[in-house]
Amino acid sequence: MSPQKQNGEPLSIVWLALVFGSLVYTAVKLHRTILPNISEHLPGSSLYADEFVARSSPSCTLWLAESIVFPGERGVFVGTATPMGQALAPPEVLLAIVDANVNEFSPWHDIARSEHTIATVLKDQPKYLSTHRLDLVIPGLSSLLGCSDEFANVILSRNTTDIGLSITSPSAGSFSHVYQDSVRAAYDLWAGEELVFPCPAHTHGHFKEEFLLPSAATRNVFSLQGRDPLWLDESQHSICIDNLIDEPTTAVSQNVGRGAFAERGVGAGDVLTTSPVILVDRSQMQIMEHISADQSDLPSAVLQQGVEFLDKLLGYQLWTNYCFGRPESTIMLFPTSPLVNAIHHSPSKEEANVMVRWKSGSPTTTELLKQTAHEALAIPASNDVLIEYVAIRDIQPGDEIFLNYGDEWEAAWQQHVESWDPLVSHVIKPFRHEIGLPKGFIPYTWYTADPDSKGDFLPQALAPGELAPIRWNDTQEVVTPNAYRLGLDKSVRMGLLKYCDEMGITDVLRRVTGGGNSLAIDSNTIVHLNGYKWFLQRPNSKWNSNLSWLSPYDQNSHDDYLQALSASKFDAVLDAIGRSLNMDGLVAFHLTFIAVSRSTRGYLHYDLRNTGRKMYNVIIPLNLADDTGPELDLQDASDDAAIGRYRYEYDVASLTGDDAYHATSACDYRSTKEFRMAATVYVADVNEMNAESIVDGYTQYFPPTDMELLLSWAGRHWKKGGGASLPKPHPNHILSRYRE
């Protein structure tokens, strides 16, 4: 070995050491740049220096504060150093929920879990739940965390505990006696770290698999995200959520398991704890039975197809007992902070030691309270919508926390106790009632009743065949040049409704707008009814509703619909339109039945354009929901583009033509099992100038997008000089027996 090589080895070692040291220094500097608020030490497996521990939050272990991982949202930060495997919050109740609207978005879907403990959850619950698909919801810390594979540092335990239940107690079946272990540290956590789950597989927004993380030894220190715990402790923008602990409740008479107790004392008027709330549609508290066709009195045409639809209310979800609400509001509030769902009812208002209120100073909450119920229910789950549990007297450490659930809850409970039969009631009659809120807590815009039930347009009385432009109620001005109201003879609605009832169309549309039966968004299927093929479709998500369309699939069903129009005296409608709007000829060609039971914020659009004011969509209401507000949004054609709300009326058709922008108004009829159904008939004075524009607007399966075919149909059903009409019903048509 040469002297140069021998002497070079120590130099090489020194050189490598310097390079390695430089890389470590750079990594540390980079880490501090990425994470300026976290402790200045790199984390080790268990190397917690004294000065690091001293930087833990002295007053709180869990904080809600502005997220670093998810900008613009509120995340959860740990206030103290936490070793790997340690629980970060107490166990929480586990709730089994029947998803009544699988194909509909609901904010609670964001926190739904898999069904791995269904058998345990069902113990001592109503037996009919065993026939329903269930999702699991676990309130508490696990419901407040977002997911990111890059920044994940906690896992959700799958261990459950059953605290038992006496079926002889009136409270049997009225609360969950199964608890799910809470969130645990997947690594050694530094004080101030933001808590993040790894992202699981999802199915329709539901968590499908348990959370999995790589070995702790593989943790990337550059993935650390957090805030200085002293900043959390002193900041005006952080909220402590750890001031409750769970112990066996002192409310022995209620036999409701565990209760919530104060970790630290607070004075009267001070906030004990704060909780995000998830907005829940009241209709989702109902558990409905799917009645099969052979068990009902459906028309024979429907019986042949085995059509099913919701018919019977079996009961209400256990979840009801954990939600706040007012009976007049369609929105209920589900609180999700640690242990707030263990706060029990005090029958005496004098013994209750907390009350609830909206958190003031929260911009998200303030804006939400201004929205309609339909708009509010379209918003995903958020940690920014907050309520506070406020002490109404001094609370000492260790005191059990009680909330008065309200007079209506207390009256319902006493009635339940008096009628309780321990042999059968725990199975067929468990107690269900929302936690009451004081009057004024729920904003008026969230009430079930529409605040403006009459709408914005002039409800001018119209004789059959009389056509009038739609006008603003206050100014009498025309809203848009190509939108009209047309008076109808009663036979039009009655005939088409009879057709829908006898064909099974009404039941199909009731089915797909009822809970649990809707088509998936942007999907379609073929429906066979009375020997005819129909095309059932639901549009894409931009429509923000469960609106569904049923239209002819082929020439045979198309002709059958036309004959139904003839039997319903629609020829008089064509004559009124043709004469009033100076048409040369008309054809009814684009035929549909539509239905809806829920809409959050309709998709503003026009059906027609560039037809030379020669084509109109005629909307004929066949079934309207009771005691509801306006159903159609219509935009003014003037520069201010104001949007008004139009209320449908029986025996009055609405016509929308070129550039008449409209949308389905916000509505929700599901809690009363109602739906809105209408016939829509496109009529046009087809010519060489507009045929291409008309064909471009087709949205149904039939007729085909064939411009030559459309031109051959010009004037097919009405002509200015006479000689054209709708096809008369053949002797075997389903409405032939109802003709005069």
Side-chain angles (χ1 to χ4, degrees):
M1 185 175 293
S2 67
Q4 290 85 354
K5 193 168 187 179
Q6 288 179 345
N7 294 333
E9 284 185 343
L11 292 175
S12 298
I13 293 173
V14 172
W15 182 82
L16 289 172
L18 289 172
V19 171
F20 180 75
S22 176
L23 290 173
V24 171
Y25 175 79
T26 302
V28 172
K29 293 290 287 183
L30 180 59
H31 176 249
R32 291 177 180 174
T33 301
I34 295 174
L35 191 60
N37 293 320
I38 204 70
S39 172
E40 294 183 354
H41 300 278
L42 285 174
S45 60
S46 61
L47 300 177
Y48 294 103
D50 291 340
E51 64 267 29
F52 166 66
V53 175
R55 291 179 66 84
S56 295
S57 170
S59 63
C60 186
T61 60
L62 291 173
W63 293 95
L64 276 175
E66 183 180 353
S67 174
I68 294 175
V69 178
F70 311 103
E73 300 182 24
R74 199 184 297 267
V76 180
F77 298 79
V78 61
T80 59
T82 306
M84 181 173 64
Q86 180 171 307
L88 290 153
E92 292 281 350
V93 294
L94 192 153
L95 299 172
I97 296 177
V98 177
D99 190 355
N101 299 283
V102 177
N103 288 328
E104 306 294 334
F105 167 77
S106 296
W108 69 269
H109 286 169
D110 292 336
I111 63 169
R113 311 296 185 192
S114 66
E115 302 178 17
H116 64 269
T117 53
I118 286 297
T120 304
V121 176
L122 285 178
K123 183 179 178 182
D124 299 317
Q125 295 298 321
K127 291 182 178 179
Y128 53 71
L129 288 183
S130 61
T131 63
H132 288 73
R133 170 188 165 176
L134 300 176
D135 289 299
L136 301 182
V137 165
I138 310 165
L141 180 58
S142 66
S143 67
L144 306 179
L145 306 185
C147 76
S148 167
D149 291 332
E150 180 180 1
F151 302 113
N153 56 7
V154 295
I155 58 172
L156 178 66
S157 170
R158 291 183 61 170
N159 297 326
T160 59
T161 301
D162 190 337
I163 65 172
L165 177 69
S166 170
I167 63 173
T168 62
S169 168
S171 63
S174 68
F175 71 98
S176 174
H177 51 90
V178 180
Y179 286 74
Q180 171 85 33
D181 275 6
S182 189
V183 179
R184 294 183 179 273
Y187 309 107
D188 289 336
L189 301 180
W190 286 63
E193 276 197 61
E194 183 170 1
L195 304 180
V196 181
F197 276 135
C199 290
H202 285 70
T203 303
H204 298 299
H206 292 51
F207 288 104
K208 183 179 179 183
E209 304 292 342
E210 67 173 313
F211 297 108
L212 299 175
L213 278 178
S215 165
T218 65
R219 190 181 192 195
N220 181 359
V221 297
F222 296 101
S223 69
L224 290 173
Q225 296 289 321
R227 296 187 179 279
D228 188 323
L230 298 182
W231 178 89
L232 291 170
D233 195 61
E234 299 169 357
S235 174
Q236 297 283 334
H237 304 290
S238 56
I239 301 168
C240 182
I241 57 171
D242 80 335
N243 201 20
L244 296 177
I245 57 176
D246 68 323
E247 299 288 347
T249 181
T250 60
V252 178
S253 61
Q254 296 182 36
N255 190 25
V256 286
R258 304 184 71 81
F261 295 76
E263 172 78 5
R264 297 175 294 275
V266 296
D270 292 336
V271 176
L272 176 72
T273 191
T274 301
S275 178
V277 290
I278 294 176
L279 275 58
V280 182
D281 188 329
R282 179 177 293 276
S283 68
Q284 294 197 319
M285 296 300 161
Q286 296 178 337
I287 301 174
M288 309 296 295
E289 181 181 7
H290 293 255
I291 301 295
S292 61
D294 59 2
Q295 297 173 337
S296 64
D297 56 354
L298 298 177
S300 59
V302 181
L303 290 171
Q304 296 169 6
Q305 303 303 321
V307 172
E308 298 179 352
F309 62 94
L310 300 180
D311 182 67
K312 183 179 179 181
L313 176 65
L314 295 177
Y316 290 87
Q317 311 239 31
L318 171 61
W319 192 18
T320 307
N321 294 359
Y322 292 86
C323 292
F324 292 95
R326 293 283 306 173
E328 65 269 26
S329 175
T330 190
I331 289 181
M332 302 176 75
L333 307 176
F334 179 50
T336 54
S337 265
L339 294 180
V340 293
N341 287 287
I343 297 176
H344 295 308
H345 167 66
S346 169
S348 169
K349 294 180 180 179
E350 290 72 28
E351 294 178 3
N353 51 12
V354 294
M355 57 170 283
V356 294
R357 70 185 183 196
W358 292 108
K359 178 174 175 55
S360 61
S362 170
T364 302
T365 302
T366 301
E367 288 303 313
L368 184 72
L369 296 177
K370 297 177 182 178
Q371 296 182 333
T372 67
H374 314 298
E375 293 169 337
L377 287 169
I379 298 173
S382 168
N383 291 342
D384 291 323
V385 182
L386 302 164
I387 61 172
E388 296 176 326
Y389 293 76
V390 181
I392 56 180
R393 65 171 56 85
D394 290 348
I395 296 175
Q396 304 302 319
D399 285 354
E400 183 166 7
I401 307 305
F402 289 104
L403 173 72
N404 186 273
Y405 287 4
D407 294 339
E408 292 181 356
W409 191 99
E410 176 66 20
W413 171 253
Q414 292 302 328
Q415 183 179 14
H416 172 75
V417 171
E418 292 171 3
S419 62
W420 174 257
D421 182 346
L423 296 179
V424 296
S425 292
H426 76 284
V427 175
I428 64 172
K429 193 181 178 183
F431 178 72
R432 297 289 185 266
H433 201 284
E434 67 206 70
I435 302 171
L437 289 169
K439 290 183 178 180
F441 193 98
I442 296 294
Y444 185 61
T445 52
W446 291 5
Y447 283 16
T448 303
D450 193 285
D452 184 15
S453 60
K454 299 301 182 182
D456 301 302
F457 304 117
L458 191 66
Q460 174 187 354
L462 296 173
E466 184 180 359
L467 189 77
I470 298 177
R471 297 178 181 274
W472 288 101
N473 217 351
D474 51 358
T475 66
Q476 316 288 300
E477 293 182 358
V478 172
V479 178
T480 183
N482 300 315
Y484 297 91
R485 298 169 66 246
L486 175 65
L488 302 176
D489 187 272
K490 292 183 181 297
S491 60
V492 177
R493 172 180 176 259
M494 298 308 297
L496 290 175
L497 186 58
K498 176 64 72 174
Y499 179 70
C500 289
D501 290 346
E502 294 300 314
M503 284 290 289
I505 292 170
T506 302
D507 292 305
V508 169
L509 292 178
R510 179 190 294 117
R511 174 182 182 243
V512 297
T513 55
N517 290 316
S518 60
L519 293 180
I521 292 172
D522 199 18
S523 66
N524 56 70
T525 188
I526 297 174
V527 178
H528 297 263
L529 294 174
N530 204 44
Y532 293 98
K533 288 183 179 181
W534 292 79
F535 191 64
L536 179 64
Q537 61 189 122
R538 181 181 178 185
N540 59 36
S541 59
K542 67 184 179 182
W543 290 76
N544 303 313
S545 71
N546 64 0
L547 184 71
S548 296
W549 306 329
L550 189 65
S551 59
Y553 179 77
D554 54 23
Q555 186 72 56
N556 290 334
S557 50
H558 181 82
D559 289 346
D560 199 70
Y561 194 153
L562 289 174
Q563 292 173 42
L565 289 172
S566 175
S568 304
K569 299 184 178 180
F570 195 77
D571 282 300
V573 176
L574 293 175
D575 185 61
I577 295 172
R579 287 186 295 100
S580 300
L581 299 179
N582 194 30
M583 303 291 192
D584 293 320
L586 290 173
V587 58
F589 63 98
H590 197 273
L591 316 174
T592 310
F593 294 104
I594 63 174
V596 67
S597 66
R598 181 199 63 85
S599 175
T600 54
R601 181 181 294 164
Y603 169 52
L604 196 64
H605 67 289
Y606 56 82
D607 294 324
L608 315 167
R609 172 165 276 190
N610 299 325
T611 72
R613 304 181 70 179
K614 295 294 185 179
M615 178 175 170
Y616 289 88
N617 179 11
V618 183
I619 303 173
I620 305 167
L622 302 180
N623 184 77
L624 299 175
D626 295 329
D627 301 320
T628 65
E631 299 96 345
L632 184 72
D633 293 345
L634 192 61
Q635 186 177 70
D636 196 299
S638 62
D639 292 338
D640 65 0
I643 296 176
R645 302 173 69 213
Y646 175 85
R647 186 178 179 87
Y648 287 123
E649 306 164 75
Y650 287 138
D651 304 323
V652 176
S654 58
L655 280 64
T656 56
D658 286 355
D659 301 312
Y661 280 85
H662 61 281
T664 302
S665 294
C667 65
D668 198 336
Y669 315 136
R670 293 173 297 176
S671 62
T672 55
K673 297 191 297 180
E674 294 181 282
F675 72 111
R676 184 169 76 243
M677 181 174 69
T680 67
V681 182
Y682 281 25
V683 301
D685 186 355
V686 181
N687 56 50
E688 293 284 352
M689 300 294 293
N690 62 22
E692 183 176 359
S693 295
I694 293 173
V695 169
D696 287 344
Y698 282 9
T699 58
Q700 317 300 49
Y701 191 82
F702 188 89
T705 53
D706 185 336
M707 191 169 68
E708 294 302 320
L709 176 64
L710 179 64
L711 284 168
S712 72
W713 285 355
R716 189 183 188 191
H717 298 139
W718 178 88
K719 289 183 179 179
K720 182 180 292 186
S725 65
L726 291 163
K728 303 300 180 184
H730 58 70
N732 294 325
H733 191 274
I734 204 166
L735 287 187
S736 290
R737 57 188 140 160
Y738 299 107
R739 287 186 300 168
E740 295 181 355

